[in-house]
Amino acid sequence: MTPDTLHGLPAYPASVVEQPGTTYSLVRDPASGQKWLAVQGETNGFEGGQAAGEGVTLFPLTPFNAAALRARLPWLNPVPLGLRTSAGFGDRLGLATPGHVQAVAGTGIAPIFAQQSVRENARTGRTPQEVIDDAMWGAFQAGWREDWGADADHLKRPEDIAPFVQAGYSFFTVDPSDYVDNAANADPVAVLREKVAALPWAELETSLADLEARLMSRTIDLGTQALTFDEETLLRAAAKYGAAVAHVKRMAAHLSKQMGSKPFDFEVSIDETDTPSTIHEHYYIAAEMRRLGIVWVSLAPRFVGRFEKGVDYIGDLAALDANLAGHAAVMHVFGGYKLSLHSGSDKFSVYPLAVRHAHGSVHLKTAGTSYLEALRVWAEIDPAAFREVLDFSRARYETDRATYHVSAQLERVPPTADLSDGALPGLLDQFDARQVLHVTFGSVLDQYGDALRALLRAHEDRYDAVLKRHFDRHLDLFSTSVTAD
């Protein structure tokens, strides 16, 4: 077997792995676009093979064969990434990992190539196993042999966890937002007292009196500022987040039982809430989780301003800078975790601030931006099909936006009849069009997913290049800031 061709089937040169007695590679049929695992040598443990001559057997890219290859090539297993500066690359189509590899290679940033939430899986019709296998095959194709992670994102219920554990995920993001009391942000003190009295104190393994003794009896030195809790501030933090902390404890215990002795990264996400997390509230959450013995690798507060899907930060950057400084100061006091930036796609003005204040202890989470870049390729290669998708997305927007915090206005997205073919790719750089196309991804994939995937498979080099260019803009800001710091 050569690195270039295998009986007329082009091999991906970066995928070739030569081990004593056995060589592995990924090959592709140019006519059909179908990919195969090619094994020359020991083939026990794989299934469905067909001989290709010269001792080579071709195997389909099934979950069984993915597991068998992971057993042979350990670097294809996702692993915990710990406290390294890291980035999550959501991939709703299962085709983006080679482009992600090209972007992250050489940056020093630890990648999470498989990242999908329960909600995203429901909308794309994919399973946790499919997501992790697609990422693995993409990493194999692109020759990635360093550590990488797999993130089970926005887990809300204990019963959500098992399919991700069984599929081999290494990173678990718990979202307790259903237990966050947003009204506590403005409740009068008398109401706060009632709410705090009703907290699950037995689960929290403490009492209000003990909580007051811990947090109201001292001034907390954050290095850059001092933090003190008066009664109202503490009551507001506990009323808003106390039940959420109890839920995180339940989820952590359930996950630990499921994982057994296998190590994993654990993230807590409180970003999908109505009101920002104050510095006092961040301290309260971290102090309570630490007291309860919860070990977490990253925390996603709800920062000031708006982190909307697919666009840069909306708000006062000076206010965000101060907010990030405060949250980073709390993180540094406790140590052992990173700040996590959710809805982090395309937040180019935010990255240098976050990395500077956090000293590189940052996790970036992106998702829909890779899908948007796929649409850019579609607009470039098949304008007629993209016009249909854009008009369809405009019709679906008001329905599909219901579960997202977005502010795009339909009247600012021109109908396709008003645009030349050459102007269509530029819509992917326009605020309102990006958000309309972003939040309608589930509906679009239901209707046009097969056509989009077929186009990207036929033009995979172009998609890889577009993704690399796009993520270079993201990761250059991270790696430059880390180096400078």
Side-chain angles (χ1 to χ4, degrees):
M1 183 166 61
T2 72
D4 301 315
T5 62
L6 178 64
H7 287 272
L9 296 182
Y12 293 91
S15 73
V16 177
V17 178
E18 296 182 350
Q19 293 188 331
T22 306
T23 301
Y24 310 88
S25 72
L26 196 72
V27 300
R28 181 176 183 269
D29 182 346
S32 66
Q34 185 172 1
K35 297 177 183 179
W36 303 83
L37 169 65
V39 181
Q40 183 180 44
E42 179 57 61
T43 59
N44 287 339
F46 297 100
E47 68 176 10
Q50 50 183 278
E54 299 181 14
V56 174
T57 306
L58 300 181
F59 295 94
L61 307 189
T62 62
F64 185 93
N65 289 333
L69 188 63
R70 282 193 285 268
R72 299 274 190 100
L73 307 179
W75 60 84
L76 293 179
N77 291 281
V79 297
L81 301 177
L83 298 181
R84 286 175 281 180
T85 305
S86 52
F89 299 89
D91 177 12
R92 292 168 176 170
L93 296 165
L95 301 171
T97 299
H100 294 158
V101 168
Q102 291 179 26
V104 78
T107 65
I109 295 169
I112 288 179
F113 291 136
Q115 174 199 287
Q116 209 122 69
S117 67
V118 175
R119 178 176 67 186
E120 286 173 317
N121 281 335
R123 291 185 177 180
T124 60
R126 300 170 79 204
T127 67
Q129 190 68 62
E130 288 171 332
V131 172
I132 203 170
D133 287 349
D134 286 341
M136 187 216 77
W137 291 119
F140 176 55
Q141 173 181 314
W144 183 262
R145 301 191 189 184
E146 300 176 42
D147 289 349
W148 62 284
D151 179 5
D153 198 13
H154 283 284
L155 300 168
K156 293 192 170 189
R157 306 173 302 164
E159 54 265 37
D160 294 334
I161 294 173
F164 293 94
V165 171
Q166 292 161 9
Y169 282 68
S170 60
F171 188 110
F172 298 83
T173 300
V174 166
D175 176 0
S177 57
D178 291 346
Y179 294 84
V180 174
D181 187 341
N182 290 291
N185 202 62
D187 283 333
V189 172
V191 174
L192 294 176
R193 289 194 183 104
E194 293 175 0
K195 289 184 173 183
V196 169
L199 287 175
W201 290 107
E203 274 191 277
L204 292 169
E205 302 176 26
T206 190
S207 67
L208 176 57
D210 287 343
L211 178 64
E212 290 173 338
R214 286 193 301 275
L215 295 185
M216 289 177 59
S217 60
R218 62 191 177 96
T219 297
I220 301 160
D221 182 7
L222 298 183
T224 57
Q225 58 183 284
L227 206 64
T228 58
F229 283 85
D230 57 25
E231 181 191 22
E232 179 178 343
T233 303
L234 182 57
L235 288 173
R236 203 169 297 284
K240 186 174 178 182
Y241 289 109
V245 170
H247 186 63
V248 170
K249 178 192 171 188
R250 291 191 294 271
M251 293 288 282
H254 188 82
L255 176 58
S256 294
K257 184 177 180 180
Q258 295 262 316
M259 291 293 286
S261 61
K262 188 175 181 180
F264 60 92
D265 287 332
F266 185 71
E267 176 171 284
V268 178
S269 165
I270 52 172
D271 71 299
E272 292 196 356
T273 56
D274 295 341
T275 56
S277 313
T278 68
I279 308 307
H280 288 82
E281 289 163 354
H282 182 165
Y283 190 94
Y284 162 80
I285 292 165
E288 288 298 280
M289 291 199 303
R290 185 65 55 84
R291 179 184 60 80
L292 289 166
I294 299 167
V295 178
W296 70 100
V297 77
S298 47
L299 175 70
R302 165 70 156 82
F303 298 107
V304 297
R306 286 147 59 194
F307 281 65
E308 294 190 2
K309 302 295 184 181
V311 296
D312 207 341
Y313 175 74
I314 303 170
D316 183 339
L317 271 177
L320 176 65
D321 188 46
N323 191 237
L324 282 166
H327 284 294
V330 173
M331 178 197 69
H332 293 312
V333 163
F334 285 97
Y337 69 100
K338 301 177 283 192
L339 285 185
S340 191
L341 306 178
H342 284 210
S343 297
S345 303
D346 313 296
K347 304 299 184 293
F348 303 110
S349 61
V350 176
Y351 307 147
L353 306 179
V355 175
R356 175 165 53 87
H357 289 304
H359 304 162
S361 293
V362 177
H363 176 59
L364 170 66
K365 191 164 292 196
T366 75
T369 199
S370 294
Y371 166 75
L372 291 176
E373 293 308 299
L375 296 186
R376 187 189 301 277
V377 174
W378 209 355
E380 293 172 350
I381 293 173
D382 191 347
F386 178 77
R387 288 176 183 278
E388 186 176 342
V389 167
L390 178 61
D391 288 339
F392 177 81
S393 295
R394 292 178 82 256
R396 289 289 314 175
Y397 176 61
E398 294 301 337
T399 299
D400 291 352
R401 67 178 296 183
T403 55
Y404 291 97
H405 297 287
V406 290
S407 54
Q409 301 296 312
L410 266 181
E411 59 269 21
R412 297 175 185 166
V413 183
T416 59
D418 296 345
L419 298 168
S420 66
D421 285 353
L424 293 176
L427 285 176
L428 276 303
D429 299 315
Q430 197 263 349
F431 179 101
D432 300 275
R434 280 184 70 80
Q435 289 201 332
V436 168
L437 290 166
H438 188 292
V439 303
T440 55
F441 77 90
S443 298
V444 169
L445 292 181
D446 283 344
Q447 188 81 9
Y448 302 99
D450 290 345
L452 176 56
R453 291 184 184 93
L455 179 134
L456 295 175
R457 290 189 180 104
H459 300 275
E460 61 179 3
D461 288 346
R462 177 59 184 156
Y463 187 35
D464 293 348
V466 167
L467 284 172
K468 182 183 186 307
R469 180 184 66 194
H470 188 59
F471 278 102
D472 281 349
R473 290 187 64 201
H474 289 71
L475 302 181
D476 283 352
L477 292 169
F478 271 78
S479 53
T480 300
S481 300
V482 171
T483 301
D485 198 71

